[in-house]
Amino acid sequence: MAAEVPPDALGRRVSCGTDYGTVRYVGSVSRTAGIWLGVEWDDPQRGKHDGSYEGTQYFKCRHPKGGSFIRPNKANFGVDFLTAVKDRYGLNDKQDVQYGTGNTVVFGTKTVEFVGMDYVAEQQRQVQLNKLVDISVRECAVSHAGQEEEISRTCANMRHINLSKNLISSWETVIAIASQVQNLETLNVSENKMRFPSTSTFISNAFSNLKILALNQTEITWTEVLLGAQGWPVLEELYLSSNNITVLERPDSVLQTLKLLDLSDNQLLDGNQLHLIGELPRLEQLILRNTGISSIHFPDAGFGCKTKMFPSLKRLAINDNKISQWSSINELEKLPSLRALQCNNNPFMDTEKNPETLIQLIIAKISQLEVLNNCEILPAERRGAELDYRKIFGKEWLEAGGHWNPEKNKPSEEFLAAHPRYPALCLKYGAPEEGELKGRQPLTLKNQLLTLTIKCPEKPEQKPVEKKLPESMTIQKVKGLLYRLLKIPGSELKLSYESSKLEGKEVDLDNDLKPLQFYSIESGDCVLVRW
């Protein structure tokens, strides 16, 4: 017997085994009998052609091999939401085996009939379903809401729903489900390729309490996002990865409560698209991983000033992009609230062969940064990075018109464009003196050795010792060397150092795993040992 084809089959999502697709044609095919479904598969490898057969084009596909014909009985058009919930959580009729067959229960060899047993079983199922708060029906072939108001009667306490990777064909289906959930806070409908309304006539109050919404891999456009957002008045987190979003528009009067926006894996036209979402007042986290951006620029703010864009942005992810110039990192200093940055796998990171130097440069360029590539920046690390930056580029600063005398200090625009934080570092630590300026030297062993004086200030009987140590030597290994000199266990030693350039300032060497260069120690400095 031929399977029945739903009257709205055209455009519906279907599955066939583990493959998903969209019905693009329903009808006959020349020189064959019966009804066929023309399906455009999500995975083009599953298809055979572009929707044409023997010279006739029955439907169109985006991929030349993305389509094929299947019989209706091979297509799964899905189930309603409640059926999927009952199947997933073992609350359907088939699993009420403890009640025996029909309205009977077997005790030994006796079969006892219970009148109304079906009713009791149904009541117990209702009670269990009403207890569910967090529901996941991922990959359960959900395609429609089911009977009207049935969800609200059965699952009244739901707050978090995972509907990802199902057979939902349109946003109207999502509204039909969500409108029956009074306190819905989290909704994940990712991996459902569906149609979204193109006008605001479909705006619903079904999402009046929704705080988290995931629409990854749904083929939604930014224009459709802004239309839908009219019905998301308190939304805080929006996930939109892998949707082929290329251009953005200004979200006037919508998404004003948004704290997190994920646009990863969308190939944005350029970095200027960010200006269009820069006025989101509460946005704290922006994820732009693999969006194809090659530069970042905030034209409303000059050197040393803060941009008015992204006023609340604390965490920014720009990893896996095409950013090749350090000027884009300089621009991030203009963000007034930035605290955490992820920027791995960008071409600008290839300009420095030494990963330690690379990290130091980023830290020195962004003053308020507290976390870089998921690693916390310790105060000593920031101080070392900023002092090193001040010394490395000090010669350039002088050549560009920099001067220790504030009245004569007039570095060029070119220098300030390349090093906008340099004036602030001079204010913080003082202008560099000629004796401490250092250019970039080749990494020979001679350059890596530090001549240090080792003193025990609380043990005058111990005479100062001069040692040549590699700058890559860890504090732990320094303590091992001191153990051989002083016969005091490393665990009892407390180290610090005094810089020959900054008299009276003592810096603790408090991390055993860090190398000497981490603390910006230089030849001529004095290591102080206490126990």
Side-chain angles (χ1 to χ4, degrees):
M1 182 178 174
E4 190 175 329
V5 180
D8 61 345
L10 202 61
R12 285 272 299 268
R13 297 283 292 163
V14 293
S15 63
C16 182
T18 58
D19 295 301
Y20 289 74
T22 303
V23 178
R24 300 297 187 200
Y25 174 78
V26 180
S28 59
V29 176
S30 65
R31 298 206 296 177
T32 64
I35 298 297
W36 291 90
L37 301 179
V39 179
E40 181 180 11
W41 301 102
D42 294 356
D43 179 7
Q45 301 299 318
R46 170 67 172 80
K48 297 179 179 178
H49 49 69
D50 64 352
S52 60
Y53 178 70
E54 292 191 347
T56 302
Q57 188 86 44
Y58 290 91
F59 62 98
K60 292 183 179 180
C61 292
R62 278 175 281 191
H63 192 279
K65 294 280 188 182
S68 67
F69 292 104
I70 62 172
R71 292 294 190 183
N73 63 349
K74 297 289 186 183
N76 177 11
F77 281 91
V79 298
D80 67 85
F81 178 77
L82 270 184
T83 297
V85 171
K86 291 174 182 177
D87 285 345
R88 169 58 61 91
Y89 293 94
L91 299 171
N92 56 20
D93 297 337
K94 297 173 187 174
Q95 287 159 302
D96 288 312
V97 294
Q98 67 267 35
Y99 297 110
T101 305
N103 293 333
T104 63
V105 174
V106 179
F107 291 101
T109 57
K110 290 186 177 181
T111 300
V112 180
E113 185 174 353
F114 280 77
V115 177
M117 200 62 187
D118 285 344
Y119 174 77
V120 172
E122 178 60 27
Q123 287 298 102
Q124 290 202 337
R125 279 197 296 272
Q126 295 277 11
V127 169
Q128 288 173 287
L129 284 169
N130 267 316
K131 288 181 180 178
L132 294 174
V133 174
D134 193 335
I135 285 180
S136 175
V137 284
R138 176 177 168 82
E139 288 191 87
C140 289
V142 176
S143 63
H144 55 287
Q147 292 181 18
E148 197 171 339
E149 302 305 320
E150 191 178 7
I151 297 172
S152 57
R153 285 196 304 269
T154 312
C155 302
N157 290 306
M158 281 192 300
R159 288 177 181 268
H160 314 283
I161 302 177
N162 183 352
L163 271 167
S164 60
K165 205 169 185 180
N166 278 289
L167 300 176
I168 297 170
S169 304
S170 72
W171 185 246
E172 284 90 332
T173 299
V174 179
I175 292 176
I177 294 170
S179 61
Q180 299 182 56
V181 184
Q182 190 173 0
N183 296 306
L184 184 62
E185 293 179 13
T186 307
L187 178 62
N188 184 354
V189 288
S190 300
E191 299 175 80
N192 287 287
K193 291 189 176 181
M194 58 180 135
R195 299 181 302 276
F196 292 89
S198 56
T199 66
S200 57
T201 54
F202 287 95
I203 300 306
S204 165
N205 62 359
F207 310 103
S208 57
N209 296 308
L210 191 67
K211 293 182 179 176
I212 301 173
L213 176 59
L215 290 164
N216 305 319
Q217 297 182 53
T218 56
E219 300 193 340
I220 194 169
T221 66
W222 185 252
T223 300
E224 290 165 347
V225 168
L226 297 187
L227 275 172
Q230 295 176 38
W232 311 332
V234 296
L235 193 68
E236 294 181 359
E237 298 183 14
L238 179 58
Y239 299 86
L240 296 170
S241 74
S242 305
N243 278 310
N244 296 318
I245 294 171
T246 56
V247 292
L248 303 178
E249 299 169 48
R250 209 174 297 279
D252 296 324
S253 74
V254 294
L255 300 178
Q256 300 300 296
T257 57
L258 203 63
K259 293 182 179 179
L260 181 152
L261 176 60
D262 182 1
L263 288 169
S264 57
D265 297 307
N266 291 289
Q267 295 304 298
L268 297 178
L269 189 63
D270 53 46
N272 291 334
Q273 296 298 312
L274 304 183
H275 301 166
L276 298 170
I277 57 172
E279 293 179 13
L280 291 173
R282 299 184 188 177
L283 190 67
E284 295 180 3
Q285 185 170 356
L286 180 58
I287 304 169
L288 298 171
R289 182 182 56 79
N290 188 31
T291 50
I293 57 174
S294 57
S295 65
I296 297 172
H297 180 48
F298 302 111
D300 66 320
F303 307 135
C305 300
K306 297 297 182 183
T307 177
K308 292 180 180 178
M309 299 183 202
F310 301 105
S312 303
L313 190 66
K314 295 178 181 177
R315 296 178 290 280
L316 175 64
I318 52 171
N319 34 325
D320 302 310
N321 277 298
K322 300 174 183 177
I323 297 170
S324 58
Q325 301 296 322
W326 279 96
S327 57
S328 291
I329 303 303
N330 291 337
E331 288 292 305
L332 300 181
E333 167 66 7
K334 295 179 181 179
L335 291 168
S337 304
L338 187 65
R339 298 292 183 272
L341 175 67
Q342 291 183 35
C343 59
N344 280 326
N345 300 326
N346 276 286
F348 81 87
M349 300 191 76
D350 298 331
T351 60
E352 284 294 333
K353 292 181 180 179
N354 186 335
E356 283 285 334
T357 302
L358 182 74
I359 290 167
Q360 283 190 319
L361 287 174
I362 298 170
I363 293 170
K365 283 176 176 287
I366 308 174
S367 61
Q368 299 173 108
L369 210 58
E370 296 172 357
V371 179
L372 176 59
N373 295 328
N374 296 321
C375 294
E376 184 184 359
I377 300 168
L378 300 173
E381 188 175 10
R382 169 160 293 285
R383 183 178 183 279
E386 292 178 343
L387 282 171
D388 241 20
Y389 190 93
R390 172 177 157 275
K391 294 170 188 174
I392 289 171
F393 297 104
K395 193 174 179 183
E396 281 184 45
W397 173 72
L398 282 175
E399 292 171 352
H403 202 280
W404 301 286
N405 185 339
E407 293 179 5
K408 297 180 180 180
N409 182 30
K410 295 177 181 178
S412 67
E413 289 285 310
E414 289 79 10
F415 179 84
L416 291 175
H419 308 284
R421 268 212 83 208
Y422 204 87
L425 294 178
C426 288
L427 285 173
K428 187 174 182 179
Y429 299 106
E433 297 175 15
E434 196 147 13
E436 63 175 316
L437 296 182
K438 62 178 183 180
R440 296 173 183 246
Q441 296 175 312
L443 291 175
T444 62
L445 181 60
K446 185 179 178 182
N447 288 332
Q448 290 177 295
L449 287 175
L450 302 172
T451 303
L452 303 174
T453 302
I454 298 173
K455 290 182 181 178
C456 304
E458 295 173 1
K459 308 286 182 182
E461 66 275 13
Q462 292 281 353
K463 292 184 179 180
V465 179
E466 193 173 273
K467 285 285 181 185
K468 289 185 182 292
L469 304 177
E471 62 180 15
S472 59
M473 192 176 203
T474 64
I475 303 304
Q476 191 171 32
K477 288 183 179 178
V478 172
K479 288 182 176 179
L481 173 70
L482 293 171
Y483 170 69
R484 292 193 291 274
L485 285 174
L486 305 171
K487 305 305 179 194
I488 304 294
S491 59
E492 296 180 22
L493 296 177
K494 183 183 177 185
L495 306 187
S496 59
Y497 87 95
E498 284 181 340
S499 170
S500 57
K501 308 291 190 307
L502 300 170
E503 288 185 20
K505 289 188 178 180
E506 192 174 326
V507 179
D508 289 336
L509 305 175
D510 52 4
N511 190 330
D512 285 357
L513 302 179
K514 293 292 184 183
L516 290 167
Q517 64 188 14
F518 172 80
Y519 294 96
S520 295
I521 298 180
E522 294 184 318
S523 290
D525 290 348
C526 183
V527 175
L528 305 176
V529 186
R530 295 180 176 88
W531 64 88

